[in-house]
Amino acid sequence: MINRMNGMTFWQRVNEDIDAVRQRDPAARSRLEVVLCYPGFHAVTVHRLAHQLFRRQWFTLARFVSHLARTLTGIEIHPGARIGARVFIDHGSGVVIGETSEVGDDCTIYQGVTLGGTSLHPGKRHPTLENGVVVGAGAQVLGGFTVGAGANIGSNSVVVKAVPAGATAVGIPARIVEREVDETRVADGSIPGLAAKPGTEEKIVFAAYALTRDQNDPLTTVLQKLIDHVAEQDQRIEQLLAEVARHGMDAPVPCQKIDAERLNRMVG
């Protein structure tokens, strides 16, 4: 899932990382600005060196190099973690990526994110992000499961189980909002690991921080639909009681109607 160098030199991979920052951050005005001023770029670049040391089993030196990067950038990436191509850590302060984490190509990670483990046992304890995943600020992704390609994790969400490809997960604990592949990032070729559907022409804008304005918490959506359903039932019961009374029969006293508008405001 994660490309190792694929025949590319270290400097070619660095150039790709610079381009990824400029593509996804409109504030990046030049390649020199990225090289000098972006802690996410610094952290990923140093991690590539530390990871090579880790693979050669120079564990203490690898940890020391990653520790220096953490001191410089505020981003902690264990040297054992596997980081794919064109990964962009935006802002970056407080990001923690654990030892057995795997981050696929073209992923975007915002500040305060943790890719953490929930077990003290050796083995796969940290999550795998497949290609093109966006993890919003403050999100906690905890456990040895997979977040599918093109998925979005909303800011401040706590994810404790697998997320399907193309889905958006929000909330505590995170719930699935939608399951729809981001066709813009697929169709324009920015995520090599994803294949566009034949004939796809629709453009969907990249969701910074993994959220858009038209997304609601799924629990809120369910509550609003239930409130509307009960209000509709109240109206029908009132009509039935009026029909019973019209035929000269004793109709029971109707129960108090709910204020659907007020309740919807409270939950939404």
Side-chain angles (χ1 to χ4, degrees), residues 222-235:
V222 169
L223 288 173
Q224 289 175 333
K225 288 185 176 181
L226 286 173
I227 291 168
D228 291 341
H229 181 70
V230 171
E232 183 180 352
Q233 284 187 324
D234 279 349
Q235 186 177 5

Side-chain angles (χ1 to χ4, degrees), residues 91-253:
H91 304 296
S93 297
V95 168
V96 177
I97 300 177
E99 178 184 8
T100 62
S101 298
E102 299 179 56
V103 180
D105 298 343
D106 301 286
C107 289
T108 303
I109 298 173
Y110 289 90
Q111 67 271 18
V113 166
T114 300
L115 304 183
T118 56
S119 169
L120 298 179
H121 300 292
K124 178 64 172 169
R125 331 186 280 287
H126 302 89
T128 294
L129 309 185
E130 292 188 339
N131 296 343
V133 172
V134 179
V135 187
Q140 311 297 301
V141 187
L142 309 175
F145 52 82
T146 296
V147 178
N152 292 327
I153 306 300
S155 296
N156 294 318
S157 299
V158 178
V159 184
V160 293
K161 59 183 179 181
V163 177
T168 296
V170 298
I172 304 175
R175 300 177 180 88
I176 302 303
V177 173
E178 62 185 13
R179 188 171 183 174
E180 182 176 302
V181 175
D182 187 333
E183 300 294 355
T184 296
R185 290 183 289 154
V186 174
D188 67 11
S190 62
I191 306 179
L194 294 180
K197 296 177 182 178
T200 295
E201 297 178 355
E202 182 182 3
K203 296 294 183 183
I204 301 174
V205 178
F206 173 80
Y209 292 92
L211 289 175
T212 58
R213 292 181 180 179
D214 59 350
Q215 289 174 348
N216 292 316
D217 186 302
L219 183 58
T220 298
T221 300
V222 169
L223 288 173
Q224 289 175 333
K225 288 185 176 181
L226 286 173
I227 291 168
D228 291 341
H229 181 70
V230 171
E232 183 180 352
Q233 284 187 324
D234 279 349
Q235 186 177 5
R236 291 187 177 185
I237 290 172
E238 191 174 66
Q239 292 171 347
L240 288 172
L241 292 178
E243 190 68 17
V244 168
R246 191 173 69 84
H247 285 79
M249 299 168 56
D250 291 334
V253 178

